Amino acid sequence: MATKKVKSAGRFGARYGVRVRRSLIKIEEMQKKKYVCKRCGKTAVKRIGTGIWECKSCGYKFAGGCYIPRTSAMKIVDQVCK
Ligand SMILES: [Zn+2]
């Protein structure tokens, strides 16, 4: 695994400004949600790794955003993923 220290909020604290951090809280909420699978249409897609998503229903795996499959938050996500 890539990260060693993984504790939700503090993890980004020093490196990013308030605006980004606030977005990250949103992103973390979004990470926990399930998403609609574009193959089988069920709401069963979960994040299994950075940028990797898997449908628990049909097993379809795909690369998506670092934290969320696809939303307008991608701009922020891009900054954070690098
Ligand atoms: Zn599926």
Side-chain angles (χ1 to χ4, degrees), residues 3-67:
T3 29
K4 278 177 189 173
K5 286 184 212 165
V6 182
K7 265 293 171 189
S8 227
R11 169 166 50 135
F12 301 107
R15 284 157 69 201
Y16 301 102
V18 173
R19 201 176 62 91
V20 174
R21 238 182 296 163
R22 212 173 284 153
S23 307
L24 281 170
I25 293 166
K26 264 192 186 173
I27 290 166
E28 300 218 321
E29 280 169 21
M30 286 189 268
Q31 275 180 31
K32 287 166 195 156
K33 283 188 191 168
K34 286 179 182 166
Y35 289 87
V36 176
C37 173
K38 43 188 170 181
R39 193 209 237 172
C40 70
K42 288 181 185 167
T43 308
V45 174
K46 285 190 76 179
R47 180 177 177 270
I48 58 166
T50 305
I52 306 164
W53 299 80
E54 185 182 51
C55 174
K56 296 293 173 188
S57 178
C58 69
Y60 178 56
K61 262 187 210 173
F62 63 97
C66 192
Y67 291 99

